[in-house]
Amino acid sequence: MNDSARRPWMFALVAALLALHYALAVGSKLNESTTSDEIVHLTGGFDFDHFNDYRLQPENGILPQRLAALPAVLAGTKFPPLADNPYWRTSDAWVLGHEFFYETGDDHFPRLMAGRALIALFSVATGLLVFCWSRRLFGNAGALVSLVFFVFEPTFLAHGALATSDVCSAFFLLASVGAWWRHLHDGRARWWWLSAAAFGLACVAKYSAPLLLPMFVVLAGLRALAPEPLRLLGRTWTSRPGKFGAAALSALGHGVVAAVIIWAFFGFRYAAANPALPPFAHFIRPWEWIDVNLGASGKIIRALAALHVLPEAYLYGLAYVKESMLVRSAFLNGEFSITGWPSFFPIAFALKTTLPLLIASAAALILLLRSRATWYRLAPLTVLFVVYWTFSIASHLNIGHRHILPTYPVLFIATGVFGAWFAARRTGWALAVLALLAWHVTESVRIAPHYLAYFNQLGGGPANGHRHLVDSSLDWGQDLPGLKTWLDAQAAPGEPVYLSYFGTGEPDYYHIQAHRLPFVNGFKIPSVWSRLEPGIYCIGATMLEHVYSPIRGPWTPALEKEYQRIRAFEPIFDVYFHDPRRRAELEQQAGAEKWRGAATRHDLLRFARLCHYLRVRQPDANIGYSIFIYRLTAAEIAAATTGSLADWQALIGHAVTRGAP
């Protein structure tokens, strides 16, 4: 069969694989609650689209936010009242998002799924780009190998259909690097415009776009060193300085186009707040707070703001991202840090990538290093991979494996080198590649639909993932629907249920009747102190590991002393929170703020003591590998939370040696 006869079948197969990827990614979200960041992405996007206002959450990439919120805008979705709303005035997208999702009377889930379905188009586009790039390098057989690895990769299936900016950024980084490299070899105007547009769209996809600048510089240097002349700007350049200088001028033009695109996405207005709307006091973190920590880079950003070079919200978002990267709570293999580890992303990559893809990537690297003819053609992919990984390893922002998502397409494309074995009919090697692909697909099928919780065998599988990574690498708040299903089937009538949840989903939305243990996102719902009784304890993996708790790490004698001291107030806490008349009397002795502060501190200490035990006790069940279920007896509760230090240590020792009593 000749190439022209094969082409329709090839296109049909590629379309079917990409459609399958889309269906798997979007379908897996039908029973997942909003992940932590989605609530602010959609709330901010609605603000941008509907109000022409940019005060809410400008730090996450305005392009995916506007796209994800578009269905809600077109449907005429209600938004919380703006007048006299303190959260609107202070740009608190988190609390305002809770109002938008759960307090307007409109069901948030259909618009969330519509936003997810739109963002999933970027994942499909990434797969198509992977196929086309691999096909150009390695032919049809190699392109299909690359595409199959992409379609079933758990990381892309996990994030490809979330209303966030990660997959959008991955697509535009890959597209921009490829278009820039093509532009440096094809002087026609259409490639310049395509490259400039891709760069501009990358700038509004996510604030990782500045990493394209060193990539462009390195690629321009490589192009200048190549012997072929460079035709740009209507001239042919032959000297190395001339070729590099022409590329630099072209890059300046890219910057102008990017600036226009940025201004367009922010409505060609400098001010973040729409003056026709209720007033704006400040961003969620005022400029002044960020200025204190940013130093010289902050001064540059403020100077650009003073000159109105770019929209205020865009510059604020850039400053916010840079400031948040300095210090951030992080968890890795049972350890905690606020500045991260150079090993974080390599370990995350090693644990959350399927073993067949790891093996295939290593083998592809060996083959490509032996073939010098492909080195130059692989330059844009190599530069993207090396530059992005260099900055990732140096980053202090170690909160999620998703942040290295843009490097995966490079691996998918590289595996296309195995296509030569199929073309040459090297049966043994071709069967080995098919075995790796089958293994990769099997790993994906086994974890479905809980793709976010995927961990390979090196990490002990998904059941042990929480011992290595949490937050958006495992537990992003997605499993409230699964928890509701389990409770309906397994909880006895009247059996007490306790929940400690990480995320922005609302348990009340799913009719989960549970006493609330410490939450990361409590929003406006006040905590109510209560005694712990035997029952079902549902603990999110991120909460179990205490990543964002002020009480984390070892349980020290000082913490035990403080806990035993504050436990003396338990009877008073009980009265304060459950007897309104006595509460008023107690508040005359000490203000409400002091009583609630003391009760909160007690809750945190008690919960930390309990979790030290639960981390060594086997759970009775798990929901999507992200929420662990424990049926605790009266004896366990007593020893873990009210017993002496000796009782508590004995309980933990018993769990370590024999399991739960």
Side-chain angles (χ1 to χ4, degrees), residues 201-522:
L201 292 172
C203 290
V204 290
K206 198 175 182 180
Y207 283 101
S208 52
L211 294 181
L212 285 167
L213 300 178
M215 298 179 199
F216 282 9
V217 170
V218 173
L219 290 172
L222 291 174
R223 182 64 181 91
L225 293 174
E228 295 81 5
L230 172 64
R231 182 165 180 78
L232 284 181
L233 309 175
R235 290 182 55 185
T236 299
W237 308 83
T238 56
S239 70
R240 290 175 178 176
K243 287 188 283 187
F244 189 83
L249 288 174
S250 175
L252 288 176
H254 279 57
V256 172
V257 171
V260 172
I261 290 174
I262 291 168
W263 278 104
F265 269 87
F266 286 88
F268 291 103
R269 189 184 70 234
Y270 170 75
N274 186 337
L277 298 175
F280 169 60
H282 56 74
F283 289 108
I284 190 169
R285 298 188 67 180
W287 272 109
E288 294 74 17
W289 290 11
I290 294 176
D291 289 344
V292 170
N293 297 321
L294 278 187
S297 61
K299 290 182 173 60
I300 293 172
I301 293 172
R302 289 300 290 250
L304 294 173
L307 295 172
H308 293 196
V309 173
L310 290 171
E312 178 188 22
Y314 185 83
L315 292 171
Y316 171 82
L318 177 61
Y320 185 99
V321 168
K322 288 182 66 65
E323 195 263 349
S324 358
M325 291 175 67
L326 298 175
V327 175
R328 184 70 177 267
S329 295
F331 174 84
L332 176 66
N333 293 337
E335 296 183 359
F336 303 92
S337 174
I338 59 172
T339 55
W341 306 265
S343 61
F344 179 87
F345 287 112
I347 291 175
F349 172 74
L351 298 182
K352 287 190 65 67
T353 305
T354 69
L355 289 181
L357 180 56
L358 289 175
I359 294 169
S361 300
L365 176 63
I366 293 171
L367 289 175
L368 291 169
L369 287 175
R370 294 172 58 186
S371 176
R372 294 188 178 183
T374 61
W375 287 7
Y376 186 75
R377 299 174 68 196
L378 289 170
L381 296 172
T382 304
V383 170
L384 168 60
F385 193 84
V386 171
V387 170
Y388 199 97
W389 262 103
T390 299
F391 278 87
S392 297
I393 289 172
S395 172
H396 294 171
L397 190 64
N398 291 174
I399 60 172
H401 168 247
R402 62 191 170 92
H403 287 157
I404 55 171
L405 193 69
T407 65
Y408 275 80
V410 177
L411 302 181
F412 303 142
I413 295 169
T415 61
V417 71
F418 301 131
W421 292 343
F422 291 90
R425 298 186 179 183
R426 299 180 65 177
T427 305
W429 289 109
L431 288 175
V433 174
L434 290 175
L436 288 175
L437 289 172
W439 183 9
H440 181 73
V441 172
T442 301
E443 291 289 295
S444 186
V445 171
R446 288 175 60 188
I447 194 61
H450 308 296
Y451 298 112
L452 189 62
Y454 180 79
F455 282 79
N456 64 30
Q457 292 81 353
L458 297 176
N464 290 294
H466 68 286
R467 304 183 189 282
H468 307 287
L469 300 164
V470 288
D471 201 313
S472 61
S473 300
L474 167 65
D475 169 31
W476 221 8
Q478 71 272 16
D479 280 318
L480 286 181
L483 176 61
K484 172 62 175 174
T485 300
W486 189 92
L487 290 172
D488 286 347
Q490 300 295 329
E495 186 174 13
V497 176
Y498 296 84
L499 174 63
S500 179
Y501 170 71
F502 173 77
T504 55
E506 176 50 58
D508 288 347
Y509 173 80
Y510 295 99
H511 306 290
I512 295 174
Q513 303 299 317
H515 301 282
R516 300 195 180 204
L517 297 171
F519 273 45
V520 163
N521 295 316

Side-chain angles (χ1 to χ4, degrees), residues 585-620:
E585 295 175 1
L586 289 168
E587 286 181 354
Q588 291 178 353
Q589 303 172 20
E593 186 176 340
K594 287 189 177 180
W595 281 113
R596 289 189 175 276
T600 298
R601 182 67 179 176
H602 173 273
D603 271 359
L604 291 171
L605 288 163
R606 181 177 63 178
F607 184 58
R609 205 174 191 256
L610 176 63
C611 284
H612 274 281
Y613 166 57
L614 297 181
R615 284 196 287 270
V616 299
R617 183 197 192 276
Q618 286 297 315
D620 296 290

